[in-house]
Amino acid sequence: MSSLVFTTPDAGASSNHAPVHMPNVVGLTRTQAYAAMKAAQLFFKTRGPGSADGKWVSVTHELPGAGTLVPWRSTVTLTTSMSAVHASRRVPRVVGLTKARVYAAMKSAQLFFKTRGPGSADAKWVAVARQSPAPGTVVAWHATVTITTTMRAPHPRRRVPNVVGMSRARAIAVMHSSQLVLRAVGAGASNNSWTSAARQSPAAGTIVAWHAVVTLSVKRSPPKSLSSTRPTTTTTVAATTTTTVAATTTTTYPGETTTSTSPTTTTTVPVTTTTRKPSKINDYRIGAATWYSYIPGHCATWFLPYGTRITVRDLATGRAIVCTVTDKEAARGDRVVDLSETEFARLAPLAKGVIRVKVTW
């Protein structure tokens, strides 16, 4: 055994000094352990490989444990080893990475991994869908990380575009181009009558996942006058004014009469009347609805712009759901909406496949 002695302690000196916390020296080299114990003003004795001749390399265990309150200048026990101890390391983030990149990341972190999920049995998996432990978790050197695989190619992460100040149509187009989902809050958000974006979250330039939700605080411009917003129909009706002068009878001589009559004059004055076309309170379509694997709360149509919130009602049961248009249907005609699995299941069993619905917006 060996021990570290700083100075010869005075009798009863330890009882007059406050206790100290045991430092964490597990994994430290011999030089680092000596320095840590000296700073804590503690003595130590060693046991294990290399302790007899002082040629030990690192500490594998300590007694008492790190953080324990011990008397000042008391003696603790360290278990030693002849091999270097590898420091703990953090689990890298591999979700969304391809197989080649996963191998490179885990090799760099000096960690092992095992796979489960589609393609893991024959090593034909394409990307990582989930991992355990989570990214950033501190684990031992050469620990094993479990990853859940998928056969689908991952979608790369992307930067949030800056849409503050854009009109509704422009903001929707930019978010669709970035393959991100837009969620509007504020004046006009409930009925899609907002006109521009005032703020956004996350901020422009933030790196987010594919199809991440970006929240826009929106505002609505003051309404224009009724005459300028509603279409008008102008009708011209001819008004006829008739002026008639009665016949005049003049007697010049007895027994002789002269009669003269002025002609009738007709004047036409155009009169303009304006009839306003009534505005639509609601629009709707009736047709077939089906489902596909998509984001819950979102759907696809071929006739409505992105960002439109629609109500889909099953005509057979009367059940209704609300979703936001963020995708385009390939099929047209009688197909009016493609719902996500989650939304379709709220209306009818997925096995039914197609139902008759009324879409209102």
Side-chain angles (χ1 to χ4, degrees):
M1 295 185 180
S2 62
S3 61
L4 174 65
V5 180
F6 304 116
T7 59
T8 303
D10 296 332
S14 60
S15 62
N16 298 326
H17 199 285
V20 296
H21 287 279
M22 177 67 184
N24 186 4
V25 295
V26 174
L28 299 186
T29 64
R30 184 171 57 178
T31 302
Q32 292 171 333
Y34 270 89
M37 298 301 287
K38 182 177 181 180
Q41 295 195 349
L42 293 173
F43 299 102
F44 69 91
K45 61 182 180 181
T46 59
R47 65 183 180 187
S51 62
D53 54 6
K55 293 183 179 180
W56 57 275
V57 177
S58 61
V59 180
T60 59
H61 186 70
E62 62 183 21
L63 187 70
T68 306
L69 276 175
V70 294
W72 179 64
R73 287 196 172 182
S74 60
T75 301
V76 299
T77 302
L78 304 183
T79 303
T80 60
S81 172
M82 293 295 292
S83 60
V85 175
H86 293 276
S88 301
R89 52 214 64 223
R90 294 186 182 276
V91 177
R93 181 182 181 85
V94 295
V95 173
L97 299 186
T98 60
K99 182 163 62 175
R101 293 175 63 190
V102 170
Y103 272 92
M106 299 301 284
K107 181 179 180 181
S108 175
Q110 294 188 322
L111 296 174
F112 295 105
F113 70 93
K114 61 182 179 180
T115 60
R116 64 183 180 188
S120 61
D122 53 5
K124 292 183 179 180
W125 57 275
V126 177
V128 178
R130 288 185 298 277
Q131 68 179 77
S132 178
T137 304
V138 177
V139 296
W141 176 70
H142 273 186
T144 300
V145 177
T146 302
I147 62 175
T148 304
T149 60
T150 177
M151 297 296 290
R152 299 177 60 183
H155 292 278
R157 296 166 67 83
R158 56 213 61 223
R159 291 185 183 275
V160 177
N162 185 6
V163 296
V164 173
M166 290 186 181
S167 65
R168 176 176 174 272
R170 179 62 178 159
I172 291 173
V174 170
M175 296 299 288
H176 179 257
S177 175
S178 301
Q179 293 186 320
L180 298 174
V181 178
L182 181 153
R183 175 177 173 265
V185 295
S190 60
N191 58 1
N192 291 311
S193 62
W194 58 276
T195 56
S196 61
R199 290 185 303 278
Q200 68 181 66
S201 177
T206 305
I207 303 295
V208 296
W210 175 73
H211 270 185
V213 177
V214 178
T215 302
L216 298 186
S217 296
V218 298
K219 59 183 180 180
R220 180 171 51 194
S221 299
K224 299 179 182 179
S225 62
L226 187 64
S227 60
S228 61
T229 57
R230 292 186 178 180
T232 60
T233 303
T234 302
T235 306
T236 302
V237 180
T240 303
T241 303
T242 305
T243 304
T244 304
V245 180
T248 302
T249 302
T250 304
T251 303
T252 53
Y253 297 101
E256 184 180 357
T257 302
T258 302
T259 302
S260 63
T261 304
S262 62
T264 299
T265 304
T266 301
T267 305
T268 301
V269 180
V271 178
T272 302
T273 60
T274 302
T275 304
R276 291 187 179 91
K277 182 181 179 181
S279 59
K280 291 184 179 179
I281 297 176
N282 237 337
D283 289 314
Y284 70 91
R285 261 180 206 264
I286 294 177
T290 185
W291 63 271
Y292 69 123
S293 181
Y294 197 45
I295 309 168
H298 300 265
C299 57
T301 69
W302 57 267
F303 55 88
L304 290 174
Y306 294 112
T308 304
R309 283 179 66 81
I310 63 174
T311 300
V312 182
R313 185 176 301 278
D314 187 349
L315 295 179
T317 63
R319 297 193 189 101
I321 57 98
V322 177
C323 56
T324 304
V325 177
T326 55
D327 199 7
K328 280 289 185 187
E329 279 184 303
R332 298 196 174 196
D334 189 48
R335 275 264 294 280
V336 293
V337 65
D338 286 352
L339 301 172
S340 68
E341 294 172 277
T342 304
E343 308 309 320
F344 190 95
R346 292 171 57 189
L347 298 178
L350 294 179
K352 195 168 184 179
V354 178
I355 57 177
R356 193 79 173 167
V357 297
K358 179 180 180 180
V359 176
T360 310
W361 63 94

